[in-house]
Amino acid sequence: MSTPSRTSVASGTNPPSKSSAPGEPRRIAATAKPAVGRGYRLQWEQAQQAHVLLYPEGMVKLNDSAGAIMSRCDGERTIGQIVEDLEKTYDASGLTGEVTAFVEMAVAQKWLEVRE
Amino acid sequence: MSAVAAPRPGPPLWLLLELTYRCPLHCAFCYNPTNLAETGAELATEDWLRVLREARELGAVQLGLSGGEPLARDDLEEIVAEAHGLGYYINLITSGVGMTEQRIAALKQAGLDHIQLSFQDSTREVNDFLSSTRTFELKSRVAAMIKRHDYPMVLNVVLHRLNIDHVEQILDMADRLGAEYLELANTQYYGWAWKNRESLLPSREQVRRAEEATARFRERVGNRMQVYFVVPDYFETRPKPCMNGLGSVFLTVTPDGTALPCHAAKMLPGLDFPNVREASIGDIWYASPGFDRFRGDSWMKEPCRSCPEKTRDFGGCRCQAYLLTGDATNADPVCELSPHHHLITEAVERAEQAVAAGEARAPAVERPILFFRDHRSRDHRSRDRRNQR
Ligand code: SF4
């Protein structure tokens, strides 16, 4: 069985994607507009009290912060706008690094696609 | 009841509906995969719709639709539409027979999320495919439809001694078909494969070469296709966490309405499995002895009972334990801590000798079984990646 056991995705602690080769870090721009990847679906599951990401024959249960970020990735908003929204909603500051790192990881996993 | 009551199990997150026994392949080598005299009639449309609603209410979210050949049911579109409305992620597992432009468009319209194009678990169908006969034409035609309608495509091929040496060719053909995921799953030895285990178990060398070919292919195609190579558990020293433990996340309903915690679990003796015609999914999941039997660890014997790894692998596969040792409560003999582990190593030894002697006889019985990829394979991705390094 797949991922019901591979549950939590810690948004802040994940290493940036492997696309950042040593010497040429490829950060995703603040103007990029992430959207849920093709073949993936994000939805809130009442029974699990969590956002889950569904894909062919698999499922990832997202933790609260990952869910908060991904549910804002609608292909319309830029990373900058998403950060702003999150900082306002959660009364926090300095989330750019964390959000960018999560988006990079999620893009590497194909959970998200980025439109510039 | 009391303070010592076991914790309520989590929801059946994963629902597999085997919609029909029918399969229109009519292959010369195929006999009907089930004894129709022993099984009741297929569930009607409204039964399936009720099952979908009840399971979704409990929290089911991943839905597999298989068979037989699910396209043999002309209410498939209706079932998909209901499932989509309820919020399932819907996977169709098909051989491709019966797929038409019109149906694939209607299924898309109804909300189908993904199509897994499967090969029957038989030597003949894969061989046909490899030798570019009708099967190859059928799969390419359906693969092209899948692409055209923008479904993600998973191709599933079951490997064993007689086809594992062709992995390279299978990989290339999957690439030509435009598959985004390819699962090369080694046969699980129960049902048809169990009867033919002596002809089907590959040698270590065969597995090693197939893994190498897979690694080379991955290098070459990069991100274009994801390939999962599932090592046969006979070559492992720890068992798979089969189904995450019976009755923990997975619920299968057979065409006649029998509810099972795993599609193979019917073989387990002394277990009564309820029918969705008589009981609600909630009662089946939370209140039937058949689903409860192998939850937790109180059923376990040594060495599992006192083993620290029991929370990780749940003692392995109950069906495998039963088939090899005659007792479903034993440790899966794949585990090297099992007193029955020699049954596995001896079978592997016999396979080594047979392959070395060039024995590649065809299995005594050809019996196609549709393969639901998540049965025991997913947890192997991590292992698979480890092997790559
Ligand atoms: S003894 Fe049982 S629980 Fe321990 S590793 Fe082996 S199968 Fe798993």
Side-chain angles (χ1 to χ4, degrees):
Chain A
M1 190 71 198
S2 93
T3 29
S5 53
R6 187 180 69 197
T7 43
S8 290
V9 179
S11 68
T13 52
N14 273 298
S17 78
K18 51 188 176 225
S19 67
S20 2
E24 48 146 0
R26 246 204 30 220
R27 307 291 293 192
I28 287 176
T31 51
K33 297 174 177 172
V36 173
R38 186 181 149 262
Y40 287 85
R41 196 164 86 210
L42 180 75
Q43 69 188 35
W44 172 259
E45 278 299 295
Q46 197 61 30
Q48 301 180 59
Q49 284 296 303
H51 279 99
V52 301
L53 190 64
L54 300 161
Y55 54 93
E57 297 165 39
M59 167 162 55
V60 179
K61 184 173 167 182
L62 299 172
N63 70 8
D64 292 347
S65 42
I69 299 170
M70 278 204 82
S71 58
R72 287 168 170 78
C73 296
D74 54 8
E76 302 284 322
R77 284 182 270 191
T78 64
I79 291 182
Q81 289 165 332
I82 290 169
V83 168
E84 211 174 291
D85 181 8
L86 286 167
E87 289 179 346
K88 200 151 68 194
T89 309
Y90 295 100
D91 196 16
S93 61
L95 295 182
T96 305
E98 197 175 320
V99 172
T100 309
F102 174 80
V103 171
E104 285 174 347
M105 182 278 298
V107 167
Q109 302 272 353
K110 297 192 176 180
W111 298 351
L112 289 175
E113 290 167 1
V114 165
R115 299 164 203 164
E116 299 287 336
Chain B
M1 258 190 305
S2 72
V4 293
R8 189 173 155 94
L13 296 174
W14 205 288
L15 181 65
L16 174 64
L17 304 183
E18 295 174 358
L19 294 176
T20 179
Y21 296 113
R22 280 168 288 159
C23 170
L25 276 174
H26 295 309
C27 306
F29 56 85
C30 171
Y31 63 84
N32 202 317
T34 46
N35 182 350
L36 285 171
E38 273 173 31
T39 49
E42 285 176 18
L43 291 185
T45 312
E46 49 281 17
D47 296 322
W48 288 122
L49 301 186
R50 179 175 48 82
V51 166
L52 285 172
R53 283 191 294 269
E54 290 176 357
R56 181 71 185 129
E57 224 159 86
L58 300 185
V61 60
Q62 272 287 354
L63 175 67
L65 300 174
S66 77
E69 172 50 62
L71 288 164
R73 283 199 66 125
D74 52 20
D75 56 359
L76 182 61
E77 289 80 351
E78 194 179 342
I79 290 168
V80 167
E82 177 76 10
H84 180 71
L86 291 166
Y88 284 100
Y89 189 94
I90 313 162
N91 309 274
L92 178 69
I93 297 121
T94 175
S95 68
V97 178
M99 189 62 94
T100 60
E101 194 56 45
Q102 200 184 354
R103 288 202 84 181
I104 201 168
L107 287 166
K108 186 91 196 184
Q109 179 78 29
L112 179 64
D113 291 288
H114 149 246
I115 297 177
Q116 181 198 118
L117 193 51
S118 272
F119 287 78
Q120 303 280 350
D121 184 3
S122 81
T123 50
R124 208 72 61 93
E125 213 204 355
V126 173
N127 287 349
D128 259 26
F129 176 72
L130 292 174
S131 53
S132 295
T133 56
R134 263 182 26 208
T135 308
F136 181 71
E137 277 159 36
L138 165 75
K139 303 290 179 191
S140 339
R141 194 167 49 76
V142 175
M145 280 187 226
I146 292 172
K147 302 296 285 180
R148 209 158 42 238
H149 288 269
D150 203 31
Y151 290 99
M153 179 177 31
V154 175
L155 205 66
N156 178 286
V157 182
V158 176
L159 296 181
H160 43 65
R161 187 189 299 167
L162 306 175
N163 64 18
I164 193 167
D165 292 333
H166 302 302
V167 156
E168 204 143 13
Q169 210 183 337
I170 294 171
L171 288 161
D172 280 339
M173 285 175 148
D175 196 24
R176 270 165 60 196
L177 296 188
E180 281 140 315
Y181 307 85
L182 172 66
E183 177 160 283
L184 298 169
N186 277 271
T187 308
Q188 307 290 349
Y189 293 99
Y190 51 74
W192 166 76
W194 170 251
K195 290 198 184 103
N196 293 288
R197 188 184 62 169
E198 297 299 319
S199 328
L200 295 179
L201 191 62
S203 71
R204 267 174 218 286
E205 177 59 18
Q206 284 183 300
V207 173
R208 195 187 57 77
R209 279 199 309 260
E211 281 186 294
E212 273 175 16
T214 306
R216 279 197 305 275
F217 180 82
R218 283 197 185 106
E219 290 271 292
R220 190 153 59 78
V221 307
N223 245 353
R224 189 162 72 229
M225 195 201 305
Q226 272 177 282
V227 185
Y228 306 113
F229 186 94
V230 183
V231 177
D233 60 1
Y234 273 52
F235 296 93
E236 309 274 8
T237 51
R238 285 293 186 275
K240 304 176 188 195
C242 185
M243 312 314 287
N244 256 16
L246 286 184
S248 95
V249 285
F250 196 86
L251 175 71
T252 293
V253 183
T254 65
D256 68 355
T258 308
L260 299 170
C262 153
H263 67 246
K266 228 173 187 166
M267 73 165 84
L268 298 173
L271 285 188
D272 248 352
F273 290 113
N275 192 293
V276 300
R277 294 182 211 262
E278 281 129 36
S280 72
I281 298 295
D283 282 347
I284 288 169
W285 188 255
Y286 291 111
S288 75
F291 274 77
D292 217 33
R293 177 70 179 88
F294 293 108
R295 285 192 180 126
D297 55 16
S298 54
W299 56 269
M300 284 181 183
K301 288 186 178 171
E302 292 298 347
C304 296
R305 185 177 274 267
S306 58
C307 177
E309 294 178 46
K310 68 183 174 188
T311 53
R312 205 169 66 208
D313 63 32
F314 317 102
C317 172
R318 294 307 86 225
C319 299
Q320 191 143 278
Y322 170 66
L323 275 176
L324 277 103
T325 75
D327 181 348
T329 63
N330 277 329
D332 183 335
V334 159
C335 181
E336 66 181 348
L337 304 173
S338 155
H340 300 101
H341 186 59
H342 64 95
L343 296 172
I344 297 285
T345 49
E346 284 158 14
V348 170
E349 194 41 50
R350 285 197 300 277
E352 302 292 342
Q353 285 164 9
V355 172
E359 260 178 61
R361 63 207 149 100
V365 200
E366 285 275 6
R367 177 173 181 175
I369 296 168
L370 276 176
F371 188 89
F372 187 55
R373 158 173 128 97
D374 229 286
H375 173 48
R376 297 205 290 167
S377 53
R378 266 302 164 117
D379 42 279
H380 282 262
R381 289 182 180 189
S382 46
R383 180 173 312 176
D384 189 29
R385 279 192 212 109
R386 207 169 58 220
N387 288 344
Q388 264 179 274
R389 286 192 214 116

